[in-house]
Amino acid sequence: MRMHRRAALALMASTLPGLKAARAQAAPWPNRPIRMVIPWPPGQATDLAGRVIAQRLQERLGQPVVPENRAGAGGTIGTDVVAKSAPDGYTLLAGSSGPFTISPLLQRLPYDTARDLAPIAMWGVSPYLLVVKPDFPASTVAEFVALLKARPGHYSFGSSGTAATAHLIIEAFNARAGIDALHVPFAGSAPSMTALIGGQINYSIETMAATYPLVRQGALKVLGVSLKDGTSLARDIPPFARTPGFEGFDAGAWVGLVARAGTPAPIAERLAQEVEQGMADPAVRGRFESISVEPVPRGPAAFGAYLQEQRDLFQGIITRQNIRLD
């Protein structure tokens, strides 16, 4: 009798973890805190946007959504954390163009974005502005292009670094225009803007966050914006796409919600729905606009199509210009 009892207790002990796991799987999602990995330092645009969405999801899902900064290696460290996480909806990524769209085109990474990660919902995109000094003898993109094409190799442009999003957007712009100019890379957008104001370079195409405050101060002049439809953040700035030769030009630095590939469809759909509803909230849109991110919500299918367009754009530039990381 005693042996039977011991055997029964042993059987219960061995099956209890499995029963608990089964109950956890059967429980409706979410039933515990969710972490949102942000692959950049605090204060960066992806971090600020991610925290806005994390707060919105927390309010709607009834569970804590905890932002976790895992910066390093151009955003690839944090992105890899999510690429290797369980596909259960409890680890999300504040995705961005650098580690998701551009880095895989330039280097071998421990993750494959097509295989390991799934786009859930795009939040918005950072517009890039073409800026020059106030006394530069051009007031439109067309005048600017004509001036530079008349003197090949005479002008120089600055970027926030070789193969940075800004560098690739400028190269895409130059290729469309047929411009031959010297690239001067800097360690970030701030020193690039300082060099432009000081006359060490002639032009740049950089994020609105980095350029527009200087435009409003009168330190720089803006000629156009990289987004196809312009930007609601400054409706008076014409898009490059209105200039002959630039039809359809559309480039920027996107931010959005990404999950591990294989995340159950009902969870992915719920997340996409909550983000879509959140981006319709004027308060949420206002917070995005305050950090110079144009709210451009897209669901999974449209988000995926946009990502492919951006990959194709940047792959073409990288190949044509033979751009490599040092």
Side-chain angles (χ1 to χ4, degrees), residues 239-263:
F240 302 161
R242 286 188 197 160
T243 301
F246 287 90
E247 294 85 356
F249 191 100
D250 188 32
W254 63 265
V255 288
L257 188 66
V258 175
R260 178 72 164 91
T263 297

Side-chain angles (χ1 to χ4, degrees), residues 243-295:
T243 301
F246 287 90
E247 294 85 356
F249 191 100
D250 188 32
W254 63 265
V255 288
L257 188 66
V258 175
R260 178 72 164 91
T263 297
I267 295 176
E269 290 165 4
R270 174 77 187 279
L271 286 166
Q273 180 185 49
E274 294 298 348
V275 171
E276 180 182 7
Q277 292 177 358
M279 294 304 298
D281 184 336
V284 172
R285 294 179 69 88
R287 292 180 69 183
F288 270 76
E289 291 167 357
S290 72
I291 57 174
S292 298
V293 174
E294 176 78 21

Side-chain angles (χ1 to χ4, degrees), residues 27-53:
W29 177 93
N31 56 55
R32 55 188 171 88
I34 298 167
R35 67 170 174 162
M36 179 183 287
V37 177
I38 301 172
W40 300 101
Q44 194 263 4
T46 307
D47 173 72
L48 297 174
R51 289 174 184 275
V52 172
I53 297 300

Side-chain angles (χ1 to χ4, degrees), residues 59-200:
E59 293 168 357
R60 297 288 299 168
L61 298 176
Q63 289 287 345
V65 179
V66 184
E68 179 183 318
N69 295 93
R70 296 291 295 270
T76 62
I77 290 176
T79 301
D80 188 47
V81 168
V82 180
K84 290 181 169 54
S85 67
D88 56 10
Y90 288 99
T91 302
L92 306 175
L93 174 69
S96 57
S97 58
F100 197 98
T101 304
I102 295 174
S103 292
L105 303 176
L106 292 161
Q107 58 185 310
R108 296 189 63 154
L109 296 172
Y111 57 85
D112 181 320
T113 55
R115 180 194 66 212
D116 302 326
L117 296 165
I120 300 297
M122 183 168 155
W123 306 332
V125 61
S126 293
Y128 280 64
L129 305 184
L130 169 59
V131 287
V132 295
K133 289 185 66 176
D135 60 354
F136 193 86
S139 298
T140 66
V141 170
E143 291 175 358
F144 174 84
V145 169
L147 191 66
L148 268 67
K149 289 183 71 173
R151 303 187 68 180
H154 177 75
Y155 294 92
S156 62
F157 65 90
S159 77
S160 51
T162 299
T165 304
H167 177 209
L168 298 183
I169 290 177
I170 300 171
E171 293 285 8
F173 176 91
N174 290 349
R176 277 287 194 102
I179 289 172
D180 175 16
L182 174 67
H183 175 219
V184 183
F186 292 88
S189 56
S192 176
M193 293 300 97
T194 299
L196 178 56
I197 292 170
Q200 284 80 51

